Structure formats: C-alpha cells, structure tokens
Amino acid sequence: MFCKLAARNVRRSFRDYGVYLLTLTFGVGLFYTFNSLDGQSAMVFLGHNDNPIVNSIFVMMDVFSVFVSVVLACLILYANNFLLRRRKRELGTYLLLGLSQGQVSLILFLETGIVGIISLILGLLVGFAASQGLSALTLSMFSIHMAEFELAFSLRALGKTILYFGIIFLIVMLFSGVQVSKAKLIDLMQGERKNEELRQRPLRVAVVQLVLGVICLVAAYAILLTFGMALAIAILPLCVVMLSLGTIGSLLIFKSLSGFVMKFAQGNPRFYFSNLNLFTLRQWLSRVHTTYLSQTVICILLLLSIGITASCIGLNSTIEGSTDERAPFDITVQNQSGDVELVDFRNLIPQDLVAWQYDALFYYNDPEITGIHEASGAVRVTDYNALLQRQGLPPCTGELPYLQDDYSQALVTGSLGLTLVVIPDEMAQSLEVRRQVWCADYAVEPSAAEAQILPLIQELQSDVAVRAESRLNLYADLMGSKILVLFLGLYLGFTFLLAAAAVLALQQLSQAADNTSRYTILRRLGAEEKMVARSATQQVALAFLIPLALALIHSTVGMKAANDIIAEVGKVDTVHSTAVTTLMLLLVYGGYFFATSLACRRMACKRG
C-alpha cells in the first residue's frame, strides 16, 4: 500500500513540479559528463601519447567533483524542502487519517527512492549523450580526425555518480524524516496560510539605496579596470574591497526595488491600472524585501557562470590560435648535422604520404658578409618566400639583407631557435651551411602518415642529428592544458548556472502555489484566464530577467578585464566565447524559465 501511495504521489508531484525532476536529472547528467573523461577519445589520445598532464586532470576533476557534489546536495535539499513545504497540508491529512509519523516518513522515504532511481536513469542517459558530444567537440577543437571518435561508457563515472548521488538521496531521506517527525499537526495543516506583508518603502529611502548601490558598483568596476584583474585578485586587501563593494552594491540595488519600482509604476496610471499589472507588480514586490539576499546570491552565481565559461572558451581559442602559429606545416624535420651531411628526404619519405614538401638550407650568419650582427642564422630569400607562400603570407619584397625579427611568425613547425636574416640567393654561396630543414603537409590522415614517417626519421638518428616536430604532437602537448581549462570552466559554469536557475525556479513555483487562491479570486472577479496566465508568466520573467540583467553588466566589465590578460598571450576570440556562453544561457537558464512559466501558468489557471 505504501509503495502504491508513494508512486502515485511522485506521479502527481511531477505533473506540477517537473522542475524538481529537471534539476535532479541535470545534476546527475552534469556530474557523469565531467567524470567520464577516462573514456573520452581525447583523453585516450593523450594517454597513448604519454602526456604527463593526464593524471593531473583526473586529480583536479576529482577535487572539483567533491565541490560540485556539495553544491548539488545543497540544491537538492533546497528543492526537497520546497516540495515538503508545499505538501504540509497533505502530510497533515495523513496524520489525521491515523497514520503515524513513522509511516508518513516511510512514504517520503519511498518517494525519494523512486525519484532517485528515475533521476539517476534519466541523468545517466543525458550524461552519456552529453559526454559523447563534449568528446566530439574536444576532438574537433584539437583538429584530430573524427575517425578516432568512438562511443564510450565510463564505468568509473557510473560508479562514482551512483555513489555520490546515493549518499545525497540518503541525506535527503533522513532530512525529510526528521522534518516530519518534529512537525506539529497544526503547523502542517496551516503551513500554506502564512502570507507575506507588502511593506512599501519610502521613495527617498529607495532612491538613496539605489544611488549608493550604483556608487559601490562603479567603485568596484573602477578598481578592477584600473589595476587589472591580475593585481586586483592577487593583492588581498584590494580584492576584499572590490568584492565587498560589488556585493554590497548589488544588494542595495535589489533592496531598493520594493520602493523604487512601485513608485515609478504608480506614477504611470495608464500602465499601473492596465490589465493585471497592479496585481502582478504587488505580488512580485511582496517578495522583494525578503528575497533581495537570495537575488544577490543568484546574481553572483550567474556572474560566476558567465565569466568562467566565457573566459575558458576565450582562453582555449587563444591557446589554439597560438598553436596554429607554431605549427604552419604538418611536420618539420631539422637536420642539425646539415653542415656535415645532407639527407635526401624525397627518396626517404614515401611520396604518396605528402601533398606538399619543401627542403631548405639555413646558414651561419657572417656579419662581415650580410652586414647584420643581430642574426644567428641566414636563409635564402627563395626558401624564405616559399615557406611564407605555403602559409598564405606575403613574400619578402624589401631591401636585402632583411632581419626577420618577428618572433610571433613561425616559419616552421616547432622551434627553429634562430634569429634569421633573409639574404639574396647568391650571397648564400659565401656562407656555411648550418642546418637542413624539411617541411611537409600530409596527403593522408595525420596519425596514419606519422605512423610511417616517424620510424624512418628515427632510423636516421644513428648517423645524423635530426629532430622532428609535427602539428599533431604540438596539439597533443597543449591538449592537456586546453582540456583542463575547458572542462573545469564548463563544469563550474554549468554548476553555478544550474544552481541559480533551479533556486529561482523553485522560488517562483512556491510563490505561484501560494497565489493559487488569489488567482481563483481574480477569475471570480471576471479576469480572463488569458490575463491570469499572462500575469503568472510576467512574475516569472521579472524574477529571472532582473538578476540576469545585473549579472550581464557585471560580466561585461569582468570580461573586459579578463580579456586584457588573455590578449597578452594571443588574440582574444570574443565572438566564439560569447556565442558558447549565450547558447549555454539559452539552454539551461532559458529552459528553466520556460519550464517554470508553464508550471506557474498551470497553477494560476487551475480551478480549485
């Protein structure tokens, strides 16, 4: 009987509070996705190349997973507390019907178990799909051929997810049982009758709070932009002042809304008395003076989510751009014994493996001949222009000899280690050969080509000193850093965004449930259902958009400071980072807004 009752309660609760299941499913999926790195193709590729950062990535992900699990546990407890609050009258009815508190606790225990199993199954399915997509995205970012992509299910992540969320659900079960066992029957039966009083603040107080809030934010922005993000964070007193001003400023702005917005609306009677705007504003503002603290926390969570995500995407694009500059060709082989013996690479390397190749000689610089003292090597203008032409760069047309001192422009893949002077072809006859450099682009898939070419190069090492550097190896060297930055950034970004959106959604569902009787009165007074549903949606929109708007302002200033640091490393890709962050906001934050709006509209139009 208790199992049947628990199953019915779960089915009924999810009809009106699907956001709870959505939060659990997202949490499980997020946790599995970022703990399944051991089975993802990118990590397998790194492991095959003996990249030392692989173990560091696993350690960092384990550490951050503990932090994320704590955040998700708090979020799930908050959501469960919301459901218990909404069901106080129902639980009190069970007690009136003769059930003991232990039996009611058993029902909640079974309900939590059913919810846990459903969310685990759905979350693991979502996590499995998301992990494959993330793996494919990672491979495409590192220019690895997609033939290496394979579907993989991580048993390690599965066990870890079940263990962590099993503990979380056990805590939720115990928490629910304790709440029911300590609750009094009269409190359960009257739990939904507690209303909040709209305490309207004087306009002058609201204006002062708003002005002080803006001043605090401007001061925090000025510190960040003047000293830069690196110094503002590194210097502890400066960091404390900046963060304190930003938090206090946000708090004051949200607190001022209860008086400022109402006075502004009442000053526009045509708007204030149009449709149900009066009811909508008063219902929304009735919660502002008690939820401004949570609104500030939500704004900070959104700021962290937007800033971390955009920064990690932008930094990854910058790293990838600098890698492309260091790897203009698929492979470069340097014969450092070129002054003694030259290698015939055209006969050594199978020609069906390369689509383009060039063999160049680099010379010792003799200042008495070239007239350039700063250079350590020399290259013929014909060879120099041929390498530039393959990269799509303009040739050297200036007066020769020409000192090539632009170190940001890679002439070969890898490190040449020479400051070059470009000389006329005929001048090279008067200089001694220093190094032979062979560059090539593959005609087949890179890993397949290198599997045949590198062993041939290694056989030469017994006779001459050769060094081979390939684009694939350079990508592999930087892949670990890119994965660490990308995955940790997305992991934390999604976690903070999920927490902010879920808390907002549950707050709005709670308010909509409390307003059910008021919506019923509006309909009895003649309000159309369309107007009532629109009022419910508008309240949700105000709650979601106002913290987001302030968070976007914060993140705009923060990203300006972050991009200044990233620009010192390379070109900042603001378009890519903005697009990915916007997509994440639309999917998660927009998804919660849509689901919450539907649930609140259903409650508003539900006939009692």
Side-chain angles (χ1 to χ4, degrees), residues 2 91 94-95 99-109 180:
F2 290 119
L91 299 177
Y94 289 150
L95 295 177
L99 295 181
S100 65
Q101 288 183 325
Q103 290 173 323
V104 175
S105 298
L106 177 60
I107 293 174
L108 292 177
F109 185 90
V180 172

Side-chain angles (χ1 to χ4, degrees), residues 138-209:
T138 306
L139 290 174
S140 65
M141 289 179 63
F142 299 129
S143 301
I144 300 175
H145 197 271
M146 292 306 295
E148 297 187 14
F149 175 77
E150 296 179 358
L151 293 177
F153 189 82
S154 173
L155 292 177
R156 174 180 174 272
L158 174 63
K160 191 174 180 180
T161 303
I162 293 177
L163 174 62
Y164 277 59
F165 278 86
I167 295 174
I168 291 174
F169 286 125
L170 181 60
I171 295 174
V172 171
M173 292 175 183
L174 296 175
F175 178 79
S176 301
V178 169
Q179 275 200 323
V180 172
S181 64
K182 291 184 176 181
K184 297 180 179 180
L185 180 59
I186 188 172
D187 293 332
L188 293 175
M189 298 303 296
Q190 297 182 353
E192 297 179 359
R193 297 184 181 179
K194 296 179 180 179
N195 297 323
E196 294 191 32
E197 178 184 357
L198 176 57
R199 294 177 295 178
Q200 188 169 329
R201 300 178 185 275
L203 178 60
R204 60 179 180 275
V205 175
V207 171
V208 170
Q209 289 176 341

Side-chain angles (χ1 to χ4, degrees), residues 310-364:
S311 296
C312 79
I313 297 295
L315 184 58
N316 269 271
S317 300
T318 302
I319 294 175
E320 187 170 2
S322 62
T323 305
D324 289 336
E325 291 181 356
R326 290 179 54 194
F329 309 117
D330 284 339
I331 187 171
T332 293
V333 180
Q334 299 186 44
N335 175 16
Q336 296 177 331
S337 302
D339 55 342
V340 177
E341 180 180 353
L342 299 179
V343 177
D344 187 359
F345 288 100
R346 291 185 178 272
N347 290 328
L348 176 68
I349 306 300
Q351 294 302 294
D352 59 335
L353 298 179
V354 294
W356 172 90
Q357 59 182 313
Y358 195 84
D359 199 347
L361 294 178
F362 290 78
Y363 301 87
Y364 286 99

Side-chain angles (χ1 to χ4, degrees), residues 109-423:
F109 185 90
L110 293 174
E111 289 180 9
T112 305
I114 295 173
V115 170
I117 293 174
I118 295 175
S119 61
L120 274 174
I121 294 174
L122 294 178
L124 288 173
L125 291 175
V126 171
F128 175 71
S131 65
Q132 309 310 317
L134 190 61
S135 180
L137 172 64
T138 306
L139 290 174
S140 65
M141 289 179 63
F142 299 129
S143 301
I144 300 175
H145 197 271
M146 292 306 295
E148 297 187 14
F149 175 77
E150 296 179 358
L151 293 177
F153 189 82
S154 173
L155 292 177
R156 174 180 174 272
L158 174 63
K160 191 174 180 180
T161 303
I162 293 177
L163 174 62
Y164 277 59
F165 278 86
I167 295 174
I168 291 174
F169 286 125
L170 181 60
I171 295 174
V172 171
M173 292 175 183
L174 296 175
F175 178 79
S176 301
V178 169
Q179 275 200 323
V180 172
S181 64
K182 291 184 176 181
K184 297 180 179 180
L185 180 59
I186 188 172
D187 293 332
L188 293 175
M189 298 303 296
Q190 297 182 353
E192 297 179 359
R193 297 184 181 179
K194 296 179 180 179
N195 297 323
E196 294 191 32
E197 178 184 357
L198 176 57
R199 294 177 295 178
Q200 188 169 329
R201 300 178 185 275
L203 178 60
R204 60 179 180 275
V205 175
V207 171
V208 170
Q209 289 176 341
L210 180 65
V211 171
L212 288 177
V214 172
I215 292 175
C216 289
L217 290 182
V218 170
Y221 295 159
I223 293 175
L224 181 62
L225 296 178
T226 302
F227 292 92
M229 181 170 289
L231 283 178
I233 295 177
I235 302 176
L236 184 59
L238 195 63
C239 180
V240 171
V241 171
M242 180 185 67
L243 295 179
S244 300
L245 288 174
T247 303
I248 294 172
S250 302
L251 190 70
L252 289 174
I253 287 178
F254 285 120
K255 193 172 184 179
S256 69
L257 292 178
S258 60
F260 185 76
V261 173
M262 181 58 72
K263 285 295 183 181
F264 177 80
Q266 290 175 343
N268 296 270
R270 181 175 298 181
F271 167 78
Y272 187 59
F273 295 106
S274 175
N275 298 322
L276 294 179
N277 290 346
L278 184 153
F279 172 80
T280 301
L281 287 175
R282 292 184 69 86
Q283 290 302 312
W284 173 64
L285 289 173
S286 67
R287 303 298 180 107
V288 169
H289 71 277
T290 56
T291 61
Y292 63 86
L293 183 59
S294 65
Q295 293 283 300
T296 304
V297 174
I298 290 168
C299 178
I300 294 174
L301 288 174
L302 290 173
L303 167 64
L304 292 173
S305 175
I306 296 171
I308 291 174
T309 304
S311 296
C312 79
I313 297 295
L315 184 58
N316 269 271
S317 300
T318 302
I319 294 175
E320 187 170 2
S322 62
T323 305
D324 289 336
E325 291 181 356
R326 290 179 54 194
F329 309 117
D330 284 339
I331 187 171
T332 293
V333 180
Q334 299 186 44
N335 175 16
Q336 296 177 331
S337 302
D339 55 342
V340 177
E341 180 180 353
L342 299 179
V343 177
D344 187 359
F345 288 100
R346 291 185 178 272
N347 290 328
L348 176 68
I349 306 300
Q351 294 302 294
D352 59 335
L353 298 179
V354 294
W356 172 90
Q357 59 182 313
Y358 195 84
D359 199 347
L361 294 178
F362 290 78
Y363 301 87
Y364 286 99
N365 176 45
D366 186 347
E368 295 183 358
I369 297 177
T370 63
I372 304 295
H373 293 268
E374 297 85 351
S376 57
V379 59
R380 297 190 312 159
V381 66
T382 301
D383 296 335
Y384 184 73
N385 286 339
L387 296 175
L388 291 181
Q389 182 180 6
R390 181 63 181 179
Q391 301 179 47
L393 299 174
C396 175
T397 57
E399 182 179 353
L400 299 178
Y402 163 73
L403 180 64
Q404 197 270 336
D405 55 357
D406 186 3
Y407 291 97
S408 65
Q409 175 182 285
L411 193 61
V412 299
T413 293
S415 174
L416 188 62
L418 298 175
T419 303
L420 295 176
V421 56
V422 184
I423 59 175

